[in-house]
Amino acid sequence: MPRTGELDMLTLEELTTGADALLRAADKPTAETGADGDTSARPVTQAVEQVEMCDTDWRLRKGTPRMRNALAVVPTADRHLPDDPRSALRTLARQGVVAVVTAPATTPPDPALPKAAQEAGVHLLVPTRPCTAPELLGHLLRRLADASRDSIEQRDRLLDLSARLYRQGEGPGPLLHWLSARTSSRVTVLPARDDGTWADLSEHAHVLERLAAGEMRSAAVEAGGRHVRLHPIGSEPPHRVLAAVRETPWPGRHSTLIAHAAERIALLQQPLVLRVRERRLRQTEMAVRINVFQHLMAADVVRATRTAAPLSLDLFDADACEVAVMSCAPGEERSAVVAACDRALDHRGLVVMCPVEDTHVIVVRPQAGNRADTARPLKPVVAAHRQRALGVSPPAPWTEVESAYTMAFDALVKAQHQDDRTWVVDDAAPLARLLPAPARVWAAALLSPLRALPEADRRELCDTARLALMFGASRAARLSVRKETEAVRTGAIPGTAKARGAFDELGRNTIARKLSEAMDRVGLDHSRLGHRAVMDLALKLDEAASLPPNTAVPSLVEILAEPAARDWAARLLAPLEDLDSPARHLGLLATWAECNGAVQETAAALGRHRDTITRGLTEISAVVSRRLTESGHGQNDVWLALATDTGGGDLLDTLPARAVSPPGRGEPTRAGVRTHDTPVVVADGPGARKPPVPGTASSARIYNAVGGGKDNYPADERIAREIMSIWPEVGQAVAANRAFIHTSARWLAEEIGIRQFLDIGAGIPTPNSPSLHETVQRIAPTSRVLYVDNDSTVLAHAATLRSGSPEGRTDYLHADATDPDTILTSHELANTLDLNRPVALYLCALLHLIGDDQNPREIVRRLTTALAPGSYVVVSHATPDANPHLMDRVAEVYARDGRVNAQGVPRSRARIEHLLGDGLELVEPGIVSVHRWRPGEEAEADLPDSVVNCYALVARKNR
């Protein structure tokens, strides 16, 4: 095993080989230096731990203690040699000197010196370039200090990584990947007995047997021209063997790093089974707790009670409950926060990791009467970390946990601006609960087409749509449960360690489809914010009662004119008065509502930068306790409040006539007819306005359209059709690009061990293709992914892009690729990625949308400069090389009349390589057509390059 401090040493081989060699053997001329820069005389891998200066008589300064593995520098500028060189060299050897360097190199040594050095057992060296003895001493000391610093850093990283893996109950796999990358070798663990995996080392089987038996502590062998280091693992035989193979000889520091790693691997493997078993038990309990919460969210108290029985939680003896949501600090392990909350409540409550937000912990605490005191015991937990925050709902019946959770979730926005980072919601009833009985008649009339469905189907469709409107499709999918699974009933999770895998959740796409179906049936458009707000209100009001004949149905204008509605809207919007320029913020909010809640369209309408709009909306969100940048009830509430506060006005004018004034007898419209395609303007006159229609096509939506997606507008579809008429196979090119993204991601996660990914220009998620975070977190659940895009449609899908594994982290940043400083200094990046560790930077199908006038090379340089060595850059880029005429025509489509929000600049191979700049090394196979980069079984590698017209590359940052 390595000795203490041995990681800090250099070797003579490192000092005498390579292009930056400082020394060479004294008896070999410089002409014998090989083509690779290595000298022909290579001393053994002798350690060098100290460097000392001798006097001109080849003596160390008086009082120098005996050293170990020292290198002595001897000044010979005056060509003076000791009277008895053999005696001087033997004295130095006895004092711990292993090599002597005579300087300057231009002084020819005495021909007898090499023989005298050999007899004394020391190496005789000279500098590779002219320098004085003091200059050489300085060079050697700096090299030794650099080696020491590098070794300490690597040792710290080794300890940090192994400690984290130990805490997470993981095996040594990620540690082996890290070692391979750090030492440029292939590192594996061999079994204690040959099961066929010793084949490559069959000539050294006797060495492996002795290592496995504990008869050797390490071994260095050569096999097939490769250099192998072998170390036994564990304290008791038979030992497994750590094998590290390099094509070139092992530097001393790398050898010692492998030896230290063998000790850490032994610690990771020894208790692995017990740690994995304990972790699974904890995850099983958390899975049951989450299932209880999901049943409460569905107002199914009976199932929640039955599911909670094994947990011995006395939840349901009380009449009501409080719900609290605590946001954890960035990077904080939620399990520790869950344990702290459990202790603070004396284990008298349901504490779960939120299945929707990866940084939230949910507390459901039973209450006696209306006494609200959940915040009091949890405040010390919040105070323990300055970045935690707590939102608490008012007491609510067990059947209204969903509403209580919503209020607590919204309260977090306000809590983050309080001194104690806590906000308790007053008893603020939702609008649906405040409206009088006639409002339910309006809701029943609007939803009457759904009564044509069988009752069970109608109820499932309404429940799913209501959940999607409240939380958005992605979050609703992770909050919903259709049935109890075997994992919950038995208390075990078969086949997976992921808590979320324990539940049969409704898929995100299924929920989105059901929402679209429900709204289509009643003549509303799920893509329009106002339509969603009206549908949300109607579903909360509806009691599934049929309308009697000749029932008088009030209009939505009449309902929102009710005093209760006006009071509710006034209370919700009143905090705007506390902001600077309340009128300006209210105007921003009104324009945002008219623009369908889209930041980009709002910025265009107001002539402001989108970042300015985002900051303004964030300020408004904080004071009204509603999230305006995420699809859900927060947006719906604000839209309804604006429509109510203005007495209806232009916002209600954008709704279909049937939504404002449903038919009085509930006659169903034809299923599937989208009456919102031709909206009826209720108000007449010059003040009536139709909803804004985006007139400029978006590169993200065009890409979505040519790839078969549906998240696009007519302007995008027109451009997409024009491109497909020029380039019929463009859909295959899009598919090849997506395949490359996932192939490279799997390679980086599996082979290289990258656990951080920054995807700039992420684009719109594709239903039939996994997102980047889904690919890498399937391989390594602890992976962390940050998506960046500036398209409002991508922003609308931000919840989808944030839905990562509980062990890792996934987030979205709305920013422009041409502004790398904003990306690199954002809170989202700081909370998701550690730029001191390797990151995979994805710039796929992005740079060809940035013109030369925007200096894409500088953008790449600024992004990669911020990355740690060992990071990777992944690029795909359109090219005219294989089909210049076709790509010129496509570029003309993008450029014509400014119809697209981006340029189209296909570039040649040489120009793409120029974008990379310095400091990046291409990974094999270099710059190739996108479908030929390490193609897997699913890739169509036989496609002609003239069909794909896109290059791909992966490059490594070495410094």
Side-chain angles (χ1 to χ4, degrees):
M1 291 296 110
R3 296 185 298 271
T4 302
E6 196 171 355
L7 271 176
D8 300 339
M9 67 182 180
L10 276 171
T11 65
L12 291 183
E13 183 178 40
E14 291 176 280
L15 292 171
T16 58
T17 59
D20 58 348
L22 290 175
L23 310 173
R24 62 178 175 84
D27 59 344
K28 297 293 181 182
T30 56
E32 294 187 18
T33 300
D36 61 353
D38 292 353
T39 59
S40 60
R42 294 187 176 183
V44 296
T45 55
Q46 171 65 58
V48 175
E49 299 183 37
Q50 290 178 261
V51 181
E52 293 289 340
M53 176 74 84
C54 292
D55 60 20
T56 55
D57 292 324
W58 293 36
R59 293 175 302 191
L60 295 170
R61 65 180 181 274
K62 189 174 182 179
T64 301
R66 175 171 171 74
M67 302 173 291
R68 187 177 71 175
N69 299 331
L71 187 152
V73 178
V74 178
T76 58
D78 56 359
R79 305 195 178 197
H80 174 75
L81 294 176
D83 295 334
D84 187 357
R86 287 179 176 80
S87 175
L89 289 170
R90 288 194 190 99
T91 300
L92 290 174
R94 286 194 297 271
Q95 291 177 295
V97 173
V98 295
V100 172
V101 186
T102 61
T106 53
T107 302
D110 188 310
L113 278 180
K115 184 176 181 181
Q118 183 177 8
E119 291 175 354
V122 298
H123 298 277
L124 185 63
L125 308 171
V126 295
T128 56
R129 57 184 66 88
C131 63
T132 64
E135 290 172 341
L136 178 62
L137 179 67
H139 293 323
L140 290 170
L141 289 174
R142 280 193 293 273
R143 184 71 66 86
L144 188 63
D146 290 343
S148 176
R149 183 169 53 253
D150 180 66
S151 295
I152 292 172
E153 289 176 357
Q154 297 310 314
R155 181 173 55 199
D156 288 345
R157 289 187 182 182
L158 173 68
L159 294 173
D160 288 345
L161 178 57
S162 58
R164 180 171 60 81
L165 294 175
Y166 185 89
R167 288 195 307 270
Q168 295 175 348
E170 293 189 36
L175 182 59
L176 297 178
H177 283 301
W178 179 81
L179 279 174
S180 296
R182 180 66 187 86
T183 61
S184 301
S185 65
R186 182 169 59 88
V187 184
T188 56
V189 176
L190 301 178
R193 293 180 177 82
D194 187 9
D195 59 358
T197 56
W198 291 12
D200 293 342
L201 297 170
S202 56
E203 59 187 297
H204 301 292
H206 63 290
V207 176
L208 290 170
E209 290 170 354
R210 293 187 63 194
L211 287 165
E215 298 174 4
M216 298 177 65
R217 301 182 66 187
S218 65
V221 300
E222 290 191 21
R226 293 174 298 176
H227 303 263
V228 186
R229 296 286 178 174
L230 301 170
H231 295 273
I233 296 174
S235 57
E236 298 292 334
H239 300 279
R240 303 177 77 186
V241 178
L242 180 68
V245 183
R246 275 175 59 100
E247 298 294 333
T248 56
W250 280 88
R253 284 169 292 143
H254 286 178
S255 298
T256 312
L257 184 62
I258 292 292
H260 276 274
E263 296 178 341
R264 308 309 301 178
I265 292 171
L267 293 175
L268 287 173
Q269 285 192 326
Q270 189 175 22
L272 180 60
V273 174
L274 294 177
R275 287 187 290 122
V276 168
R277 186 178 303 164
E278 181 182 352
R279 185 183 64 171
R280 286 180 176 171
L281 287 173
R282 290 196 305 268
Q283 289 180 333
T284 299
E285 181 183 356
M286 182 54 63
V288 177
R289 288 172 175 256
I290 292 174
N291 198 228
V292 173
F293 176 71
Q294 288 173 312
H295 285 311
L296 290 174
M297 290 289 289
D300 194 342
V301 181
V302 174
R303 280 194 173 184
T305 304
R306 188 165 66 246
T307 305
L311 300 175
S312 300
L313 295 175
D314 296 327
L315 291 175
F316 304 105
D317 294 338
D319 299 329
C321 66
E322 275 186 294
V323 177
V325 179
M326 183 177 294
S327 61
C328 305
E332 188 174 24
E333 292 187 13
R334 284 196 294 174
S335 57
V337 180
V338 168
C341 291
D342 246 342
R343 290 193 299 270
L345 298 175
D346 198 20
H347 305 281
R348 295 176 181 174
L350 179 68
V351 185
V352 303
M353 294 182 185
C354 179
V356 176
E357 300 290 340
D358 291 336
T359 59
H360 287 184
V361 170
I362 301 170
V363 176
V364 182
R365 190 186 189 199
Q367 295 293 322
N370 290 325
R371 184 167 52 87
D373 63 349
T374 297
R376 180 178 52 79
L378 291 179
K379 280 187 176 182
V381 181
V382 178
H385 199 297
R386 61 185 180 85
Q387 290 183 282
R388 292 177 185 167
L390 179 70
V392 184
S393 76
W398 289 104
T399 54
E400 296 183 11
V401 167
E402 179 189 280
S403 176
Y405 165 73
T406 302
M407 286 188 278
F409 180 79
D410 286 337
L412 278 179
V413 181
K414 215 160 203 173
Q416 291 164 355
H417 297 270
Q418 307 303 312
D419 292 339
D420 61 357
R421 307 279 292 178
T422 301
W423 187 261
V424 180
V425 180
D426 295 331
D427 190 8
L431 176 61
R433 195 185 301 172
L434 298 171
L435 292 173
R440 301 188 182 279
V441 177
W442 166 83
L446 178 62
L447 302 177
S448 59
L450 299 179
R451 284 198 292 275
L453 298 172
E455 178 57 24
D457 294 344
R458 188 196 70 82
R459 178 45 55 196
E460 180 185 2
L461 191 65
C462 289
D463 287 347
T464 303
R466 179 176 50 77
L467 204 61
L469 289 166
M470 180 166 285
F471 299 108
S474 296
R475 287 160 58 200
R478 293 163 65 176
L479 282 170
S480 63
V481 174
R482 280 190 285 184
K483 61 183 180 180
E484 291 177 284
T485 63
E486 186 65 23
V488 175
R489 286 198 297 270
T490 63
I493 305 179
T496 178
K498 295 182 181 179
R500 289 176 187 162
F503 308 114
D504 179 16
E505 296 181 347
L506 288 172
R508 178 183 68 246
N509 295 334
T510 301
I511 285 187
R513 178 176 54 79
K514 287 182 176 292
L515 173 63
S516 177
E517 178 188 348
M519 294 186 66
D520 279 352
R521 285 180 175 273
V522 300
L524 295 174
D525 181 357
H526 73 282
S527 68
R528 307 294 304 172
L529 171 56
H531 294 219
R532 294 197 300 272
V534 170
M535 185 71 171
D536 189 17
L537 178 62
L539 287 170
K540 290 175 180 175
L541 287 166
D542 181 40
E543 292 182 340
S546 299
L547 292 178
N550 302 317
T551 300
V553 179
S555 70
L556 182 58
V557 176
E558 295 170 317
I559 291 170
L560 296 182
E562 290 284 346
R566 289 189 173 278
D567 289 346
W568 171 83
R571 285 197 304 272
L572 193 151
L573 298 176
L576 291 176
E577 297 295 330
D578 298 332
L579 296 173
D580 295 334
S581 304
R584 178 172 59 84
H585 283 87
L586 186 60
L588 165 61
L589 204 55
T591 305
W592 167 84
E594 292 174 354
C595 291
N596 200 37
V599 175
Q600 185 68 37
E601 280 75 4
T602 305
L606 293 175
R608 305 277 182 83
H609 194 278
R610 61 181 169 273
D611 291 346
T612 303
I613 301 301
T614 301
R615 284 194 296 270
L617 292 175
T618 301
E619 292 174 4
I620 295 171
S621 295
V623 298
V624 301
S625 293
R626 298 294 191 279
R627 297 171 188 262
L628 300 181
T629 56
E630 298 177 8
S631 178
H633 79 282
Q635 290 187 342
N636 301 340
D637 279 359
V638 171
W639 191 95
L640 288 169
L642 289 169
T644 302
D645 191 61
T646 59
D650 295 335
L651 290 181
L652 295 184
D653 294 350
T654 65
L655 298 173
R658 190 183 185 283
V660 177
S661 299
R665 301 181 64 169
E667 301 90 339
T669 58
R670 287 181 294 120
V673 175
R674 296 169 60 106
T675 58
H676 56 270
D677 286 342
T678 53
V680 178
V681 180
V682 177
D684 294 324
R689 285 180 289 176
K690 294 184 180 181
V693 178
T696 302
S698 151
S699 58
R701 295 193 298 265
I702 293 171
Y703 185 87
N704 177 266
V706 298
K710 303 298 182 185
D711 291 294
N712 40 75
Y713 294 116
D716 310 302
E717 294 172 357
R718 285 194 297 272
I719 300 294
R721 285 195 298 269
E722 191 171 348
I723 292 174
M724 287 188 284
S725 68
I726 299 170
W727 186 4
E729 306 90 351
V730 65
Q732 293 176 279
V734 169
N737 183 62
R738 288 174 179 156
F740 161 69
I741 290 173
H742 299 300
T743 298
S744 61
R746 285 192 295 269
W747 180 75
L748 288 167
E750 286 182 336
E751 301 296 326
I752 305 302
I754 297 294
R755 295 294 179 264
Q756 300 190 112
F757 296 80
L758 174 58
D759 186 359
I760 302 180
I764 301 169
T766 306
N768 297 323
S769 177
S771 295
L772 177 65
H773 71 274
E774 293 172 318
T775 296
V776 299
Q777 289 178 350
R778 189 176 297 121
I779 297 167
T782 57
S783 298
R784 304 172 76 85
V785 182
L786 177 65
Y787 293 104
V788 181
D789 208 300
N790 68 342
D791 191 277
S792 58
T793 309
V794 181
L795 178 61
H797 289 269
T800 299
L801 295 175
R802 289 190 180 105
S803 57
S805 68
E807 299 92 337
R809 181 177 176 85
T810 310
D811 207 350
Y812 173 82
L813 169 64
H814 195 66
D816 198 312
T818 60
D819 187 7
D821 290 343
T822 295
I823 296 172
L824 295 171
T825 58
S826 67
H827 292 298
E828 289 84 352
L829 187 142
N831 292 341
T832 306
L833 305 178
D834 179 2
L835 295 185
N836 293 317
R837 298 181 181 276
V839 174
L841 170 63
Y842 271 70
L843 304 172
C844 290
L846 171 70
L847 297 177
H848 56 236
L849 301 174
I850 301 176
D852 293 337
D853 58 332
Q854 295 174 290
N855 201 350
R857 189 174 193 265
E858 175 62 14
I859 292 171
V860 174
R861 186 197 67 78
R862 288 162 71 185
L863 289 169
T864 55
T865 299
L867 303 181
S871 294
Y872 287 79
V873 181
V874 183
V875 176
S876 62
H877 195 299
T879 180
D881 286 359
N883 200 334
H885 177 65
L886 181 146
M887 296 308 291
D888 286 347
R889 293 176 64 193
V890 172
E892 289 173 4
V893 172
Y894 273 81
R896 191 182 307 146
D897 301 327
R899 296 183 299 166
V900 184
N901 68 345
Q903 305 179 53
V905 191
R907 293 183 175 94
S908 65
R909 181 197 300 265
R911 293 182 65 196
I912 294 171
E913 187 169 7
H914 175 72
L915 295 179
L916 299 180
D918 301 323
L920 295 176
E921 177 186 356
L922 286 171
V923 172
E924 289 294 330
I927 302 177
V928 296
S929 189
V930 70
H931 62 304
R932 303 190 191 281
W933 197 92
R934 305 191 181 208
E937 295 179 358
E938 71 281 2
E940 299 185 43
D942 57 344
L943 283 174
D945 292 357
S946 59
V947 167
V948 178
N949 297 301
C950 184
Y951 282 133
L953 66 93
V954 177
R956 186 181 190 274
K957 179 179 179 180
N958 292 320
R959 54 183 171 82

